[in-house]
């Protein structure tokens, strides 16, 4: 009997009262800004509009005591953005939480997976 | 300095290849069936249409090797539904996984929470 070999993924969304939802989209956007040094480039990588990427950054900056993203619109260097210390910390907490789901939750996830029909997905 | 006292909630969705998303909606529906003995009553409690509740049950029953819900449409006793052993097990795995997020992930969640602006939500 083969062990299940599925493409398991998960999405974890955190809601803090009515003020902030923080989940994989915002985490990936922060990651993109860290990687690419630009809000619009980070949005593009996620196939997200420039407007939406800015809106998400503004929502995060408004919800946290210190902004997560430091940005310059335009300017001599053509603008740019980077994560602040707070942004780096929030992203690190979220990524650590994702890792905990996979590690501490492995037995539960495997428990569900093992009960799935075995012939589904196998050809994909 | 007060500790953050927010209404933190989270939603965890698991994706097994293209075949199944299992998350809080399906878990609550299974819970409702266990509590109420009826798919439609479980759906109503969640403000979900009868059609959607049945559709979700059928999707779960199709994705797992053994059905999660055993149901009788109509019939002398007026129909009814209950979780099978498989349904009880899947729901238990998912609830355990949720508990793991809160317990094993507490430091990460608190880490994010502590960085939120302190004056938001306080009046809600």
């Amino acid at each position: 009997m083969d062990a299940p070999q599925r493409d398991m993924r998960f999405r974890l969304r955190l809601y803090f009262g009515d003020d902030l939802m923080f989940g994989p989209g915002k985490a990936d956007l922060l990651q993109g800004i860290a990687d690419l040094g630009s809000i619009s480039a980070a949005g593009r990588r996620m196939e997200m509009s420039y407007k939406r990427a800015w809106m998400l950054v503004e929502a995060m900056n408004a919800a946290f005591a210190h902004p997560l993203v430091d940005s310059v619109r335009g300017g001599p260097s053509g603008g740019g953005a980077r994560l602040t210390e707070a942004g780096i910390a929030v992203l690190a907490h979220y990524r650590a939480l994702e890792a905990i789901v996979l590690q501490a939750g492995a037995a539960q996830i495997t428990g569900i997976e093992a009960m799935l029909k075995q012939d589904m997905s196998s050809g994909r």
Side-chain angles (χ1 to χ4, degrees), chain A:
Chain A
M1 195 175 94
D2 291 339
Q5 292 292 338
R6 284 160 196 276
D7 174 27
M8 202 292 290
R9 290 169 302 115
F10 68 94
R11 295 174 75 80
L12 177 66
R13 292 181 193 280
L14 307 175
Y15 298 84
F16 296 97
D18 296 330
D19 299 320
L20 183 75
M21 185 285 287
F22 193 91
K26 283 177 180 157
D28 288 351
L29 184 60
L30 291 181
Q31 187 72 60
I33 292 165
D35 293 348
L36 304 170
S38 150
I39 294 171
S40 55
R44 261 196 312 278
R45 188 166 80 173
M46 299 170 67
E47 296 178 15
M48 179 184 284
S49 72
Y50 176 82
K51 188 178 165 181
R52 179 159 170 77
W54 267 93
M55 204 188 66
L56 294 179
V57 166
E58 281 167 5
M60 288 189 273
N61 281 353
F64 284 94
H66 301 284
L68 303 194
V69 176
D70 190 12
S71 62
V72 183
R73 278 194 202 241
S77 65
R82 61 183 191 85
L83 299 194
T84 62
E85 273 184 44
I88 293 166
V90 167
L91 182 58
H93 281 308
Y94 182 79
R95 293 302 188 208
L97 191 55
E98 287 185 317
I100 284 166
V101 171
L102 285 182
Q103 287 157 18
Q108 308 302 338
I109 292 171
T110 306
I112 296 174
E113 200 170 36
M115 296 175 68
L116 290 167
K117 204 170 271 181
Q118 294 302 312
D119 57 348
M120 294 177 83
S121 278
S122 54
R124 287 178 190 161

